[in-house]
Amino acid sequence: MKAYKNVFIFDHPLIKHKIAILRDKNTGMKEFRELIEEITTIMTYESMRDVKLVPVQVETPLETTTQYKVPEESIAIVPILRAGLGMVNGVHKVFPTAKVGHIGMYRDEETLQPQEYYCKLPDGIENKTVFLVDPMLATGGSACDALDALKKRGCKNIKFMAVIAAPQGIEAVAKAHPDVPVYVSTLDRCLNENGYILPGLGDAGDRLFGTK
Ligand code: PRP
Ligand code: URA
């Protein structure tokens, strides 16, 4: 796959360790959910390296000092339903007061085309840094449509985070939305004929919510 300057693939031993457990078909729902959350938290730290801090005055027991904080009200989280819900707590661990919007997408199982069925976003989202989250980036159709939906509603500063991606998905998002930084914890090999990522982890929504 070609290298894109706005695509960041993590190569952290701790993430590799957690991904190995996540992929295992014998990993149960509770552990799966916890791992998605933990990986998301690590990714959130990494994806905030360029965040703009604001100066604040802090009184230590000894003196007043100028320190720097992230303006928490400037962060929003938007999971792509359903599986993106599994990543919300992972970002909330870092920004507990971030507002949450929801975009509902499902892939038509035959055409693999995403269908939007729900969108509810916090007021003022156009002025926030938006974390669009979805554990799986397969063909990239859902992510591209969700990014279109956010941009249509005025969002200018969006970061997309996925736990596992196929090369096709990364290419699709990087080409359609070159302004959006894409953070992926693990790059997988390819898609199978049903649009599933290989080696992948199966259906993330079903494993998170126990629907199969
Ligand atoms: C999965 C996943 C992504 C999408 C990725 O959702 O969570 O949203 O597929 O595939 P794409 O890159 O080819 O669009 P799914 O449609 O299975 O819905 P669900 O989250 O409700 O299970
Ligand atoms: N959605 C999933 O949940 N898993 C895949 O492998 C591809 C899309």
Side-chain angles (χ1 to χ4, degrees), residues 6 24 34 53 56 63 75 83-84 92 97 104 121-122 131 136 144 146 158 166 175 194 199 203 211:
N6 236 359
D24 190 330
E34 289 166 355
L53 301 172
V56 291
E63 63 175 16
I75 307 285
H92 263 157
T97 60
L121 302 172
F131 281 93
M136 309 307 277
C144 285
I158 313 170
K175 282 188 183 143
N194 299 318
D203 188 301
T211 36

Side-chain angles (χ1 to χ4, degrees), residues 107 136 138 195-197 202-205:
R107 292 199 312 177
M136 309 307 277
Y196 276 85
I197 300 174
D203 188 301

Side-chain angles (χ1 to χ4, degrees), residues 96-115:
T97 60
K99 301 267 170 53
V100 182
H102 297 87
I103 293 186
M105 297 267 175
Y106 70 89
R107 292 199 312 177
D108 181 289
E109 285 187 3
E110 278 175 12
T111 65
L112 299 183
Q113 290 307 304
Q115 314 289 326

Side-chain angles (χ1 to χ4, degrees), residues 136-151:
M136 309 307 277
L137 177 58
T139 65
S142 307
C144 285
D145 279 18
L147 288 166
D148 285 337
L150 290 174
K151 288 182 177 177

Side-chain angles (χ1 to χ4, degrees), residues 32 82-83 107 112 134-139 142 164 166 188 190-192 194-207:
F32 189 90
R82 262 173 329 163
R107 292 199 312 177
L112 299 183
D134 191 327
M136 309 307 277
L137 177 58
T139 65
S142 307
I164 293 190
D188 270 8
C190 61
L191 298 177
N192 72 8
N194 299 318
Y196 276 85
I197 300 174
L198 295 177
L201 48 71
D203 188 301
D206 285 339
R207 294 196 64 184

